[in-house]
Each structure stands twice: as structure tokens, then as C-alpha cells.
């Protein structure tokens, strides 16, 4: 009788441990998937190397289209906000694409596709 009780207790403990391990694995997997899906893409347009992008476009667009894109990317300025206040003078930048421009998302996709 005592042996049966001990065996039942051991089986219950093993089942509980297995269930806890499965639950932990499922929770960790869900968290990892959420983190992967939730990649912060807010600064991705700011990290594009313009020279490399223009080089990638050489085989994809005509010279006229490349010049238009180069014009879009030239002489762009940035303002920095610190505690909600803008810096006094904007400064020139030579990386990234303008956010809010409809062509920037296409350029980013081309750049990303080449990186993958």
C-alpha cells in the first residue's frame, strides 16, 4: 500500500514537472516570437549608407532616375531635439533617407533586400 502511494506521488511529481517545463518552453517561445516580430524599425531609415544604396541602384534604375534619387538624398539636414527643444542650427547629414518621403520606403526595401 505504501509503495503504491509513493509510486503515485512520484508519478504526479514527474507529470507536474513535465507540465511546468512544457509551459515554460511555450512561454519562452511566444516571447521570442513577439520580440522578433516587434523589431524596432523606427530608426532604420536613418542607418542607410547612401553611397552603398546609390551603388545598388546602378543596375536597377536608369541614369536619370539615379540622378533624381541622388538629388533627393543630397543636402538633407537634421534637427536634434533635447528634452523637447530643437537645437539652434540644423546640420547636414550624409546617411539615411528622408522619413515621410514615399520613395524612402522603396529605397529601404531595395537596401534591405541586398543586405539579406
Amino acid at each position: 500500500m505504501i509503495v503504491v502511494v509513493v509510486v503515485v506521488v512520484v508519478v504526479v511529481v514527474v507529470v507536474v514537472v513535465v507540465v511546468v517545463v512544457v509551459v515554460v518552453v511555450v512561454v519562452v517561445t511566444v516571447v521570442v516570437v513577439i520580440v522578433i516580430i516587434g523589431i524596432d524599425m523606427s530608426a532604420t531609415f536613418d542607418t542607410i549608407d547612401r553611397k552603398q544604396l546609390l551603388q545598388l541602384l546602378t543596375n536597377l534604375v536608369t541614369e536619370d532616375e539615379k540622378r533624381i534619387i541622388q538629388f533627393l538624398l543630397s543636402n538633407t539636414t537634421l534637427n536634434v531635439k533635447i528634452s523637447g527643444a530643437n537645437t539652434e542650427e540644423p546640420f547636414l547629414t550624409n546617411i539615411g533617407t528622408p522619413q515621410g518621403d514615399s520613395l524612402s520606403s522603396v529605397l529601404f526595401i531595395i537596401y534591405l533586400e541586398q543586405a539579406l
Side-chain angles (χ1 to χ4, degrees):
M1 178 82 173
I2 293 180
V3 171
V4 171
V5 170
V6 169
V7 168
V8 168
V9 168
V10 168
V11 168
V12 168
V13 167
V14 168
V15 168
V16 167
V17 167
V18 168
V19 167
V20 167
V21 168
V22 168
V23 167
V24 167
V25 167
V26 168
V27 167
V28 167
T29 303
V30 168
V31 168
V32 167
V33 168
I34 289 171
V35 168
I36 289 172
I37 292 173
I39 294 174
D40 181 15
M41 300 292 275
S42 62
T44 55
F45 290 87
D46 299 335
T47 61
I48 293 176
D49 182 341
R50 290 181 185 173
K51 288 181 184 177
Q52 186 177 1
L53 175 63
L54 290 170
Q55 191 174 31
L56 292 172
L57 292 172
T58 301
N59 298 328
L60 299 174
V61 298
T62 66
E63 280 299 313
D64 289 337
E65 293 168 334
K66 186 176 174 186
R67 262 188 246 112
I68 291 170
I69 294 169
Q70 193 168 10
F71 181 75
L72 167 75
L73 299 175
S74 65
N75 295 324
T76 54
T77 59
L78 296 175
N79 280 337
V80 176
K81 283 188 175 184
I82 300 173
S83 300
N86 284 337
T87 56
E88 291 187 25
E89 292 293 321
F91 59 92
L92 287 173
T93 181
N94 59 1
I95 60 169
T97 60
Q99 293 183 11
D101 185 275
S102 57
L103 186 59
S104 292
S105 57
V106 175
L107 295 175
F108 173 72
I109 291 169
I110 292 169
Y111 189 80
L112 182 63
E113 190 270 331
Q114 292 297 320
L116 298 176

